[in-house]
Coordinates of all heavy atoms in Angstrom, one line a residue:
E1 N 0.8 -1.2 0.0 CA 0.0 0.0 0.0 C 0.9 1.2 0.0 O 2.0 1.2 0.6 CB -0.9 0.0 1.2 CG -2.2 -0.8 1.1 CD -3.2 -0.5 2.2 OE1 -2.9 0.3 3.1 OE2 -4.2 -1.2 2.2
E2 N 0.4 2.3 -0.7 CA 1.1 3.6 -0.7 C 0.0 4.7 -0.6 O -1.0 4.6 -1.4 CB 1.9 3.7 -1.9 CG 2.8 4.9 -1.9 CD 4.0 4.8 -0.9 OE1 4.4 3.7 -0.6 OE2 4.4 5.9 -0.5
T3 N 0.2 5.6 0.2 CA -0.7 6.8 0.3 C -0.2 7.9 -0.7 O 0.9 8.3 -0.6 CB -0.8 7.3 1.7 OG1 -1.3 6.3 2.6 CG2 -1.7 8.5 1.8
L4 N -1.1 8.2 -1.7 CA -0.7 9.1 -2.7 C -1.4 10.5 -2.6 O -2.6 10.5 -2.7 CB -1.0 8.5 -4.1 CG -0.4 7.1 -4.3 CD1 -0.8 6.6 -5.7 CD2 1.1 7.1 -4.2
P5 N -0.7 11.5 -2.3 CA -1.4 12.8 -2.2 C -1.9 13.4 -3.5 O -1.4 13.0 -4.6 CB -0.3 13.7 -1.6 CG 1.0 13.1 -2.1 CD 0.7 11.6 -2.1
H6 N -2.9 14.2 -3.5 CA -3.5 14.8 -4.7 C -2.8 16.2 -4.9 O -2.5 16.9 -4.0 CB -5.0 15.0 -4.5 CG -5.7 13.7 -4.5 ND1 -7.1 13.6 -4.5 CD2 -5.3 12.4 -4.3 CE1 -7.5 12.4 -4.4 NE2 -6.4 11.6 -4.3
R7 N -2.7 16.6 -6.2 CA -2.3 17.9 -6.5 C -3.5 18.9 -6.6 O -4.6 18.4 -6.6 CB -1.6 17.9 -7.9 CG -0.3 17.0 -7.9 CD 0.3 17.0 -9.3 NE 1.5 16.2 -9.4 CZ 2.1 16.0 -10.5 NH1 1.8 16.5 -11.6 NH2 3.2 15.2 -10.5
A8 N -3.2 20.1 -6.7 CA -4.3 21.1 -6.7 C -5.2 20.9 -8.0 O -6.4 21.0 -7.9 CB -3.8 22.5 -6.7
E9 N -4.6 20.6 -9.1 CA -5.3 20.3 -10.3 C -6.2 19.1 -10.2 O -7.2 18.9 -10.9 CB -4.4 20.3 -11.6 CG -3.4 19.1 -11.5 CD -2.1 19.6 -11.0 OE1 -2.0 20.5 -10.1 OE2 -1.1 19.0 -11.4
D10 N -5.8 18.1 -9.4 CA -6.6 16.9 -9.2 C -8.0 17.3 -8.6 O -9.0 16.8 -9.0 CB -5.9 15.9 -8.3 CG -4.6 15.4 -8.9 OD1 -4.5 15.4 -10.1 OD2 -3.7 15.0 -8.1
A11 N -7.9 18.1 -7.6 CA -9.2 18.6 -6.9 C -10.1 19.3 -7.8 O -11.3 19.2 -7.8 CB -8.8 19.4 -5.7
A12 N -9.5 20.1 -8.7 CA -10.3 20.9 -9.7 C -11.0 19.9 -10.7 O -12.2 20.1 -11.1 CB -9.4 21.8 -10.5
G13 N -10.3 18.9 -11.1 CA -10.9 17.9 -12.0 C -11.9 17.0 -11.5 O -12.8 16.5 -12.2
N14 N -11.9 16.8 -10.2 CA -12.8 15.8 -9.5 C -13.1 16.3 -8.1 O -12.7 15.7 -7.1 CB -12.2 14.4 -9.5 CG -13.3 13.4 -9.5 OD1 -14.3 13.5 -8.8 ND2 -13.1 12.3 -10.2
P15 N -13.8 17.5 -8.0 CA -14.0 18.0 -6.7 C -14.8 17.1 -5.8 O -15.7 16.4 -6.2 CB -14.8 19.3 -7.0 CG -15.4 19.1 -8.3 CD -14.5 18.2 -9.1
G16 N -14.5 17.1 -4.5 CA -15.2 16.2 -3.6 C -14.6 14.8 -3.5 O -15.0 14.0 -2.6
S17 N -13.6 14.5 -4.3 CA -13.0 13.2 -4.2 C -12.2 13.1 -2.9 O -11.5 14.0 -2.5 CB -12.1 12.9 -5.4 OG -11.1 13.9 -5.5
P18 N -12.2 11.9 -2.3 CA -11.4 11.7 -1.1 C -9.9 11.9 -1.4 O -9.4 11.3 -2.4 CB -11.7 10.3 -0.6 CG -12.2 9.6 -1.8 CD -12.9 10.7 -2.7
S19 N -9.2 12.6 -0.5 CA -7.7 12.8 -0.7 C -7.1 12.4 0.7 O -7.6 12.8 1.7 CB -7.4 14.2 -1.1 OG -6.1 14.4 -1.1
P20 N -6.0 11.7 0.7 CA -5.2 11.2 -0.5 C -5.8 9.9 -1.0 O -6.8 9.4 -0.4 CB -3.8 11.0 0.1 CG -4.1 10.6 1.5 CD -5.3 11.5 2.0
T21 N -5.3 9.4 -2.1 CA -5.7 8.1 -2.6 C -4.8 7.0 -2.0 O -3.6 7.1 -1.9 CB -5.5 8.0 -4.1 OG1 -6.5 8.9 -4.7 CG2 -5.6 6.6 -4.7
V22 N -5.4 6.0 -1.5 CA -4.7 4.8 -1.0 C -4.6 3.8 -2.1 O -5.6 3.2 -2.5 CB -5.4 4.2 0.3 CG1 -4.6 3.0 0.8 CG2 -5.5 5.2 1.4
F23 N -3.4 3.6 -2.6 CA -3.1 2.7 -3.7 C -2.7 1.3 -3.1 O -1.7 1.2 -2.4 CB -2.0 3.3 -4.6 CG -1.5 2.4 -5.6 CD1 -2.4 1.7 -6.4 CD2 -0.1 2.3 -5.9 CE1 -1.9 0.8 -7.4 CE2 0.4 1.5 -6.9 CZ -0.5 0.8 -7.7
T24 N -3.4 0.3 -3.6 CA -3.1 -1.1 -3.2 C -2.7 -1.9 -4.4 O -3.4 -1.9 -5.4 CB -4.3 -1.7 -2.5 OG1 -4.8 -0.9 -1.4 CG2 -4.1 -3.1 -2.1
W25 N -1.6 -2.6 -4.3 CA -1.2 -3.5 -5.4 C -0.5 -4.7 -4.7 O -0.2 -4.8 -3.5 CB -0.2 -2.8 -6.3 CG 1.2 -2.6 -5.9 CD1 2.3 -3.4 -6.2 CD2 1.7 -1.6 -5.0 NE1 3.4 -3.0 -5.6 CE2 3.1 -1.8 -4.9 CE3 1.2 -0.5 -4.4 CZ2 3.9 -1.0 -4.1 CZ3 2.0 0.3 -3.6 CH2 3.3 0.0 -3.5
Y26 N -0.2 -5.7 -5.6 CA 0.4 -7.0 -5.1 C 1.8 -7.1 -5.9 O 1.8 -7.1 -7.1 CB -0.5 -8.1 -5.4 CG -1.6 -8.1 -4.4 CD1 -2.7 -7.3 -4.6 CD2 -1.6 -8.9 -3.2 CE1 -3.8 -7.2 -3.7 CE2 -2.6 -8.8 -2.3 CZ -3.7 -8.0 -2.5 OH -4.7 -8.0 -1.6
Q27 N 2.8 -7.2 -5.1 CA 4.2 -7.2 -5.6 C 4.7 -8.7 -5.6 O 4.5 -9.4 -4.7 CB 5.1 -6.4 -4.6 CG 6.5 -6.2 -5.2 CD 6.5 -5.2 -6.3 OE1 5.8 -4.2 -6.2 NE2 7.4 -5.4 -7.3
R28 N 5.3 -9.0 -6.7 CA 5.9 -10.4 -6.9 C 7.1 -10.6 -6.0 O 8.0 -9.7 -6.0 CB 6.2 -10.7 -8.3 CG 6.7 -12.1 -8.5 CD 6.9 -12.5 -10.0 NE 7.3 -13.9 -10.1 CZ 6.5 -14.9 -10.2 NH1 5.2 -14.7 -10.2 NH2 6.9 -16.1 -10.3

C-alpha cells in the first residue's frame, strides 16, 4: 500500500473526491 497525495489540479478535475488516494497492489 502507498498513500498518494493529490495535486491542486486533481481537486479541480474531480471536486469532492477523497484525498489522499490509498493505492493497493500486489508485488511479486
Side-chain angles (χ1 to χ4, degrees):
E1 279 191 359
E2 187 72 28
T3 300
L4 306 180
H6 294 188
R7 299 178 181 177
E9 61 266 29
D10 298 332
N14 207 321
S17 60
S19 177
T21 290
V22 178
F23 172 44
T24 302
W25 77 98
Y26 286 80
Q27 190 74 38
R28 186 174 180 87

